[in-house]
Amino acid sequence: MSTAEHAETNRRDFLYIATGAVGAVGVALTAWPFINQMNPDASVLALASVEVDLAPIAEGQEITIKWRGNPVFIRHRLAAEIEAANKVAVTDLKDPLARNANLPDSDPATDANRVVGGKEQFLVMMGVCTHLGCVPIGNEGEYAVVEGNTKHGGWFCPCHGSQYDTAGRIRKGPAPENLAVPQYAYLSDTKIRIG
């Protein structure tokens, strides 16, 4: 191969590599807006965590807040609700796992593992039925505690009949899992941060 032919080969190789590099950069620049639009917008990022003051929630009362577009139930449970939840053996549960984002995945669904920080009076969990994503109704179902004519705790999903006990554990119906407990932590005795 002569020097002229060798120079021509090197020039051709350089042109192929340069053209490929410019093409790759062009594809990346063209694709970036489509990839970037899949990122969450500012309103979702602002809700990445939310603080909730528990002090105004009276014993036996439940509030629902929105977090990341989903309902979160926060219930100040009565002693009778906690006692009813503690009486249930994990082996009697349809889903034996705690489903608590604050604990290891394999932890059992005891009442103590469904709350955080040893504050069993406050139950915080996602208000989304694990069957088809409906929102269960509070203070309903066979597993609510009845005092007089009033039901306390327990959740019933009217769409397909799933029933959850006073710790948010699935007891009856088609739902396969307990209501999920989100990541949360106590900032003080009466304030939590979810997320």
Side-chain angles (χ1 to χ4, degrees):
M1 180 182 288
S2 69
T3 306
E5 288 176 342
H6 184 66
E8 184 63 29
T9 302
N10 284 341
R11 183 171 179 226
R12 186 176 346 124
D13 291 344
F14 171 77
L15 288 174
Y16 284 146
I17 292 170
T19 303
V22 168
V25 169
V27 167
L29 289 175
T30 303
W32 178 251
F34 298 108
I35 295 168
N36 191 40
Q37 61 117 12
M38 290 186 251
N39 285 329
D41 69 354
S43 65
V44 172
L45 291 175
L47 294 174
S49 68
V50 63
E51 292 183 9
V52 181
D53 185 8
L54 303 175
I57 305 172
E59 190 176 23
Q61 182 184 13
E62 177 180 317
I63 66 167
T64 303
I65 64 160
K66 282 269 200 172
W67 176 62
R68 295 183 180 173
N70 291 306
V72 175
F73 298 152
I74 302 173
R75 179 157 184 81
H76 189 164
R77 299 188 297 171
L78 300 169
E81 295 174 63
I82 298 166
E83 183 181 333
N86 280 324
K87 285 182 180 177
V88 178
V90 174
T91 55
D92 293 342
L93 297 172
K94 187 174 178 180
D95 179 12
L97 300 177
R99 307 285 176 200
N100 186 336
N102 305 286
L103 299 173
D105 292 342
S106 61
D107 277 13
T110 63
D111 185 61
N113 284 345
R114 299 280 297 154
V115 297
V116 169
K119 299 187 185 295
E120 67 272 352
Q121 71 272 27
F122 287 106
L123 180 63
V124 178
M125 61 190 178
M126 301 302 295
V128 179
C129 180
T130 58
H131 179 231
L132 291 176
C134 306
V135 177
I137 300 169
N139 300 319
E140 289 294 332
E142 294 175 30
Y143 300 95
V145 174
V146 180
E147 287 185 348
N149 293 330
T150 308
K151 287 186 175 183
H152 299 282
W155 288 266
F156 174 70
C157 188
C159 300
H160 298 95
S162 293
Q163 298 195 39
Y164 301 88
D165 67 10
T166 58
R169 300 171 298 195
I170 183 64
R171 300 297 300 280
K172 189 176 185 181
E177 297 179 354
N178 301 323
L179 295 175
V181 175
Q183 181 85 37
Y184 75 97
Y186 279 86
L187 302 176
S188 70
D189 282 344
T190 60
K191 186 177 263 190
I192 60 170
R193 177 185 295 127
I194 302 172

